[in-house]
Amino acid sequence: TPYSLPPTVAEEGSAVLVTGKKTVVLASQGSAREFRFDAVLGQESRQARVYEASTASLVAGLLRGGNGLVLAYGPTGTGKTFSM
């Protein structure tokens, strides 16, 4: 693969690697695939950064008279309601 995979990938079998502000590499058993997103946020991300990356433009559009939807998806107990 074109990615330098950590030794733990070979030992444990898989890894999720954040390789940039918009890219994530999923590696499993020596192979890897790159995925691009509008934004990639880590668990250390501050609430203001999450808002800027996810819904700030939506709220601005709503204030101009547009429509919008924010869908929070994930397992029970992971903070979706708190985050909204």
Side-chain angles (χ1 to χ4, degrees), residues 1 15 22 28-29 33 36-37 39 46 63 69 74 77 80 84:
T1 66
K22 296 185 175 194
S28 179
Q29 299 174 350
R33 290 189 62 193
R36 295 190 57 78
F37 298 93
R46 309 293 275 170
L63 295 175
L69 169 73
K80 297 175 301 295
M84 297 297 275

Side-chain angles (χ1 to χ4, degrees), residues 58 61-62 65-69:
L58 177 87
L62 293 172
N67 296 317
L69 169 73

Side-chain angles (χ1 to χ4, degrees), residues 5-12:
L5 301 176
T8 56
V9 173
E11 296 167 11
E12 297 176 15

Side-chain angles (χ1 to χ4, degrees), residues 47 70-84:
Q47 188 168 356
V70 175
L71 176 67
Y73 178 80
T76 300
T78 58
K80 297 175 301 295
T81 301
F82 175 80
S83 296
M84 297 297 275

